[in-house]
Amino acid sequence: MTASVSAVGAGNRGLLNLKGAGSGPLWPTSAFIDNSLRTVLGSKITNQRLLTRNLKLAAEYDKEKQPSKDKWKGLAFDTSDDQQDITRGKGMVDSLFQAPMGTGTHYAVMSSYDYTSKGLRQYKLDNKMDGFYIASSFMDKLVVHITKNFLQLPSIKVPLILGIWGGKGQGKSFQCELVFAKMGINPIVMSAGELESGNAGEPAKLIRQRYREAADIIKKKGKMCCLFINDLDAGAGRFGGTTQYTVNNQMVNATLMNIADNPTSVQLPGMYNKEENPRVPIIVTGNDFSTLYAPLIRDGRMEKFYWAPTREDRIGVCTGIFGSDNVPREDIVKLVNTFHGQSIDFFGALRARAYDDEVRKWISGVGVENVGKRLVNSKEGTPTLEKPKMTLEKLLEYGNMLVLEQENVKRVRLSDKYLKEAALGEANEDAMKNGSFYG
């Protein structure tokens, strides 16, 4: 019995030695294996080793299979996400070691479009090439604020939030987008409509998520990023006693205050581990920051910038608006001087009004009943209109029409007239005075 056990043990040791690369016999030494079986086994193992050696030599010296360039060098400049890296790696090694396409670890759960954040704003705008004007004071304030937040300044507390506020329609958001494009920044964008929800606490969670998303772009992608919130006062401010102050308003203000105080330790909802994240500058716009919570807009947390474009700024912006219409600079200056009290978006609406005559010509050509068929899902494609010739006289005419509509909105308050008199109110007062109302 003892002899048989030792023989089996010797056989097992021989099998283990067969897998190794050390010296010794290539077959198991056992009393149960005779000489003929050893001869056959030895020949098979020798042939198998020679075959493997030939395969290795063929793989090493086959020039056709050698790559012409380093297939991994693109990873040094890779800006994609992990989900896409998994798909990109498909086919890089032998198919024996990879699952079929659509299964296994090489199956991307989300496509590139789904993986991109809904709040990520990407700009492909070259403001120098397209001729858009950026006010020097506006650009100076925004660029300095963003740069200061990325610098390590000794013993200096830099405000995290930059609040840009001013009158309506003065181009605050568009000027910010131009500066972002010039600096190569793709900001994470939020609007006032996202600062309220039917569920308590959701807007505050969203702010933290968007902030951490911008921090991940800085940390993982190595690109500058910021959080851009449009019309903060419309979503988190209080406009008199008629505005309801909700729990979400309180939490939005409190969350922004907490992020401003601890910009490198912003935790995601439900995460309680202390994890450092890059500092992300926050840019907010609004019309009246006095409606916001006072501790939020104090100097240590928010740096405030009142944007009131000067005459030169207005002329520069209008030059960009009418740049493709070949309007002389002298006419633009006269236009700005004539409507000096109007906002900047007034001139954009003025240019859009100049196309009304061309639109009327096109409608009369195709017929009112065929407008829908021609514009929606048409085989002929979207129609192209001739560019109207914009003269100073025509622009002044359309500008006066817009001003008249503004005056009617200010003068005619139908909500006050409905319960007192006829629904017309004072809408036709001018026509009644000059006698044209009665024909």
Side-chain angles (χ1 to χ4, degrees):
M1 183 67 182
T2 307
S4 62
V5 172
S6 62
V8 174
N12 292 337
R13 286 193 298 271
L15 290 175
L16 291 175
N17 194 21
L18 177 64
K19 297 180 182 180
S23 62
L26 298 175
W27 55 86
T29 58
S30 174
F32 296 102
I33 301 178
D34 57 0
N35 293 329
S36 61
L37 184 58
R38 289 173 184 163
T39 305
V40 174
L41 185 59
S43 63
K44 286 185 177 181
I45 294 175
T46 305
N47 294 335
Q48 185 176 1
R49 279 194 141 186
L50 292 176
L51 181 60
T52 305
R53 185 181 305 168
N54 293 336
L55 288 177
K56 288 183 179 179
L57 292 176
E60 290 176 359
Y61 293 98
D62 192 352
K63 295 183 179 180
E64 296 180 357
K65 293 185 179 180
Q66 298 302 317
S68 58
K69 57 182 181 179
D70 184 8
K71 58 188 177 184
W72 302 108
K73 80 176 179 180
L75 293 178
F77 310 98
D78 185 28
T79 59
S80 64
D81 297 290
D82 294 339
Q83 286 282 342
Q84 304 309 310
D85 292 337
I86 290 174
T87 306
R88 185 179 292 103
K90 182 70 177 175
M92 289 297 183
V93 297
D94 193 273
S95 60
L96 177 65
F97 304 101
Q98 290 189 341
M101 181 60 74
T103 60
T105 58
H106 285 269
Y107 176 63
V109 179
M110 296 181 291
S111 65
S112 59
Y113 179 79
D114 296 332
Y115 201 68
T116 303
S117 168
K118 302 301 182 183
L120 179 62
R121 182 74 57 84
Q122 297 183 352
Y123 299 114
K124 297 180 179 179
L125 180 65
D126 187 353
N127 61 318
K128 292 183 179 179
M129 182 183 302
D130 295 340
F132 289 107
Y133 174 85
I134 306 177
S136 58
S137 60
F138 194 101
M139 184 174 180
D140 175 79
K141 195 69 175 179
L142 189 54
V143 172
V144 169
H145 176 79
I146 294 176
T147 306
K148 284 171 61 179
N149 276 275
F150 281 95
L151 292 175
Q152 299 291 337
L153 300 177
S155 304
I156 294 179
K157 179 176 174 57
V158 179
L160 184 72
I161 306 174
L162 173 62
I164 303 173
W165 64 290
K168 61 184 186 300
Q170 299 295 352
K172 297 181 292 296
S173 298
F174 186 64
Q175 291 278 299
C176 287
E177 293 177 358
L178 290 177
V179 176
F180 293 151
K182 191 172 182 64
M183 297 184 68
I185 296 177
N186 293 329
I188 301 296
V189 182
M190 294 185 64
S191 64
E194 297 176 285
L195 301 181
E196 187 55 79
S197 173
N199 299 325
E202 286 298 326
K205 293 180 181 179
L206 183 61
I207 292 176
R208 290 182 177 273
Q209 290 173 353
R210 294 284 171 85
Y211 185 90
R212 283 296 298 268
E213 189 174 352
D216 288 342
I217 292 178
I218 297 173
K219 182 178 181 180
K220 298 180 179 180
K221 304 298 181 182
K223 294 183 177 180
M224 293 183 69
C225 192
C226 67
L227 180 61
F228 184 41
I229 305 178
N230 279 306
D231 303 316
L232 177 64
D233 58 335
R238 298 192 67 181
F239 297 89
T242 58
T243 304
Q244 184 180 7
Y245 198 65
T246 65
V247 174
N248 283 326
N249 295 142
Q250 296 176 349
M251 296 192 68
V252 164
N253 284 290
T255 300
L256 289 175
M257 290 167 55
N258 177 257
I259 294 176
D261 293 337
N262 304 282
T264 59
S265 180
V266 178
Q267 307 303 324
L268 291 174
M271 303 294 292
Y272 302 102
N273 56 328
K274 185 175 179 60
E275 180 183 356
E276 293 290 329
N277 58 267
R279 183 185 180 100
V280 179
I282 300 177
I283 315 298
V284 300
T285 63
N287 298 120
D288 188 3
F289 282 170
S290 65
T291 61
L292 296 175
Y293 188 50
L296 173 63
I297 63 174
R298 67 176 177 84
D299 295 333
R301 294 188 175 118
M302 178 186 293
E303 185 175 2
K304 296 164 285 295
F305 175 62
Y306 179 70
W307 168 237
T310 62
R311 179 176 175 272
E312 293 299 325
D313 293 335
R314 297 160 68 85
I315 293 175
V317 172
C318 290
T319 302
I321 292 176
F322 297 100
S324 60
D325 301 315
N326 298 323
V327 179
R329 179 177 173 81
E330 295 78 13
D331 294 348
I332 294 178
V333 173
K334 293 180 181 178
L335 199 64
V336 172
N337 293 336
T338 303
F339 303 104
H340 57 85
Q342 297 294 332
S343 60
I344 289 179
D345 67 342
F346 171 85
F347 299 98
L350 177 59
R351 182 176 182 270
R353 180 66 72 93
Y355 277 82
D356 287 359
D357 293 337
E358 296 297 328
V359 175
R360 291 189 186 96
K361 291 179 184 178
W362 181 82
I363 293 175
S364 62
V366 300
V368 177
E369 64 278 0
N370 297 322
V371 170
K373 298 178 182 178
R374 183 64 180 83
L375 293 178
V376 181
N377 199 20
S378 175
K379 295 181 179 180
E380 301 177 10
T382 305
T384 57
L385 303 179
E386 294 183 1
K387 184 177 295 186
K389 185 178 181 180
M390 296 189 184
T391 60
L392 180 60
E393 292 76 15
K394 182 179 290 188
L395 292 176
L396 290 175
E397 178 185 355
Y398 285 129
N400 290 323
M401 292 172 60
L402 291 175
V403 172
L404 183 60
E405 292 295 336
Q406 293 176 357
E407 294 298 327
N408 284 336
V409 173
K410 295 178 183 179
R411 180 167 53 88
V412 181
R413 299 180 179 273
L414 292 180
S415 60
D416 298 334
K417 301 288 184 180
Y418 279 154
L419 299 178
K420 297 180 181 179
E421 53 189 71
L424 289 178
E426 297 179 358
N428 296 307
E429 182 180 2
D430 297 333
M432 291 179 180
K433 287 182 179 180
N434 58 31
S436 61
F437 179 76
Y438 300 99

